[in-house]
Amino acid sequence: ATTKPAEAHTLVVPFGEQRDAWLPRYETPHGTMRIGMLLEDLDAFAAHVAIAFSDALNPRRPLTVVTAAVSHIHALAPSPRPSECDVVLSGGVVHTGRSSMDVAVSVKALLNGGGGGGGGGELRTVMRALFTMVAKDKRTDRPARIYALAEARTD
């Protein structure tokens, strides 16, 4: 297949459920979010989405995926306090070129149900970003052709 449909990917960072494991890495001494750590995770999440889309783990066609650019990062609300909520990363491929993919990622705070590991609660979008990822052939280190993004069906 030369085209592939877009898939949605989601990752929950369970600050409330696994507080001792996550908070030292993400929370400043003032109780606020370490934005640098969040940006690092956004990049890794965008790479995960791009790897899944490009079939980079296929042993017959070994690819590596690199970040070529971060087109924009929009902070839509104050960053959440890790001790008060869980964080949900979601995203997917929104555009493809010959070897590049644009991956849109959003960060949501799970309020009134997060921070304690419970379900439910309000999801508030706090950040959006757009990453351009490039697939490269591991053997030649040159750009590798990827699937074209299939158009969404409306039937």
Side-chain angles (χ1 to χ4, degrees):
T2 57
T3 64
K4 189 171 183 179
E7 295 177 350
H9 296 263
T10 303
L11 172 71
V12 177
V13 182
F15 291 124
E17 221 173 90
Q18 301 167 0
R19 182 181 180 91
D20 294 337
W22 292 99
L23 286 185
R25 183 171 183 234
Y26 284 88
E27 192 171 55
T28 69
H30 305 290
T32 59
M33 176 74 74
R34 293 185 194 275
I35 297 301
M37 294 304 297
L38 184 59
L39 294 175
E40 185 179 318
D41 288 345
L42 285 177
D43 183 45
F45 183 74
H48 164 78
V49 171
I51 287 167
F53 182 84
S54 65
D55 199 21
L57 301 178
N58 183 339
R60 292 175 294 168
R61 187 174 168 244
L63 302 177
T64 186
V65 173
V66 297
T67 305
V70 181
S71 300
H72 65 262
I73 299 173
H74 293 288
L76 305 171
S79 65
R81 290 182 168 275
S83 61
E84 297 173 358
C85 66
D86 291 341
V87 171
V88 180
L89 304 179
S90 61
V93 174
V94 295
H95 181 266
T96 56
R98 187 175 170 280
S99 63
S100 64
M101 299 154 270
D102 286 342
V103 178
V105 178
S106 69
V107 179
K108 296 179 176 144
L110 178 57
L111 309 167
N112 304 325
E122 172 193 347
L123 273 176
R124 182 181 71 201
T125 302
V126 295
M127 187 180 294
R128 288 196 180 117
L130 185 66
F131 292 82
T132 300
M133 312 301 281
V134 174
K136 295 170 55 174
D137 186 306
K138 282 186 178 180
R139 295 172 288 216
T140 65
D141 204 34
R142 303 204 27 97
R145 184 175 295 275
I146 59 164
Y147 298 107
L149 186 62
E151 292 187 30
R153 295 177 58 171
T154 58
D155 45 289

